[in-house]
Amino acid sequence: MEEETRQAEFGEPFRRFGEWMERAMAAGVAEPTAMALATADTEGRPSVRMVLLKGFDERGFVFYTNLESRKGRELIANPHAALCLFWQPLELQVRIEGPVTSVTDAEADEYYASRARGSRIGAWASQQSRPLASYDELMGRVQQYEARFTGDDIPRPPYWSGFRLDPQRIEFWQGRPSRLHERERFDRADGQRWAVQKLYP
């Protein structure tokens, strides 16, 4: 028999996510913001890669990329995605699904300006996901943009921005002995509440 569904206020899964993220950081987990990002093309063929979570609140979960990369092109053509964060030492996992929208130019500008100089140059030099003849070719492009931007004022490339995933489903998983793991799924019920369901492991 399925467990009874309960209702939760809108902020509950975001608070829990924040608490788990703090636990991962306090525990010294390597790259605690690393997450798998799954996208699909217009024919439904999936692809997945690791990205870094750069912000979250009740509006959603934010990450940045070259919009001309494979993930960028897929998200523009099919604006739905899934995320998975796994903090193995703590045996905690969070899965998140929902539609994506672009962040504002102001948000993208603010985050881009906070990046290290080398990362900002790299955003100009890398034609992400396109064929590369050799690593020397990439380094040549880095030198080209180093010469172009001699000071610290490196503008954000027009093809570089971010996405915000608006969660419609969030699942929290906690590892337990004998693979009798705890799972609890939050499904968006409306703009203010969630339907919460415990799941068999």
Side-chain angles (χ1 to χ4, degrees):
M1 180 183 295
E2 291 188 356
E3 294 284 345
E4 181 179 354
T5 301
R6 70 177 178 88
Q7 297 295 306
E9 65 181 34
F10 189 71
E12 181 175 328
F14 298 100
R15 286 193 294 272
R16 185 184 301 185
F17 181 87
E19 291 167 359
W20 282 21
M21 178 63 77
E22 289 178 1
R23 286 177 61 184
M25 291 180 170
V29 173
E31 294 287 6
T33 62
M35 59 186 184
L37 165 66
T39 60
D41 63 19
T42 55
E43 296 182 12
R45 294 173 296 197
S47 62
V48 66
R49 77 289 289 160
M50 301 302 293
V51 300
L52 297 179
L53 176 66
K54 291 301 180 180
F56 74 93
D57 56 26
E58 292 186 2
R59 296 174 299 163
F61 298 80
V62 175
F63 56 93
Y64 291 87
T65 188
N66 184 318
L67 301 179
E68 297 175 355
S69 65
R70 179 176 178 180
K71 61 182 172 296
R73 289 184 281 109
E74 289 184 348
L75 288 168
I76 290 169
N78 180 12
H80 299 272
L83 304 171
C84 182
L85 295 99
F86 180 48
W87 300 296
Q88 190 277 331
L90 302 178
E91 292 195 85
L92 298 177
Q93 175 181 261
V94 184
R95 298 168 60 195
I96 308 164
E97 303 169 30
V100 298
T101 56
S102 298
V103 301
T104 65
D105 286 344
E107 288 176 295
D109 287 341
E110 181 179 7
Y111 172 65
Y112 182 79
S114 74
R115 303 179 89 202
R117 176 184 172 82
S119 295
R120 284 178 283 155
I121 291 290
W124 282 96
S126 175
Q127 297 178 308
Q128 193 172 359
S129 299
R130 297 180 187 176
L132 176 65
S134 69
Y135 194 71
D136 287 342
E137 178 184 325
L138 173 60
M139 297 312 294
R141 289 179 58 83
V142 169
Q143 292 173 3
Q144 172 188 337
Y145 285 104
E146 285 279 13
R148 176 176 171 181
F149 302 118
T150 55
D152 198 48
D153 184 17
I154 306 171
R156 176 173 61 90
Y159 49 80
W160 192 95
S161 189
F163 292 95
R164 175 177 284 106
L165 188 149
D166 179 18
Q168 302 300 301
R169 172 172 289 177
I170 305 176
E171 181 186 314
F172 294 90
W173 177 99
Q174 298 185 65
R176 292 289 185 257
S178 302
R179 298 188 181 276
L180 300 176
H181 311 308
E182 292 187 48
R183 296 173 63 189
E184 192 166 39
R185 188 181 70 204
F186 288 71
D187 287 289
R188 183 77 67 87
D190 54 41
Q192 297 180 327
R193 305 191 74 80
W194 298 83
V196 188
Q197 179 76 64
K198 290 188 181 298
L199 303 174
Y200 276 97

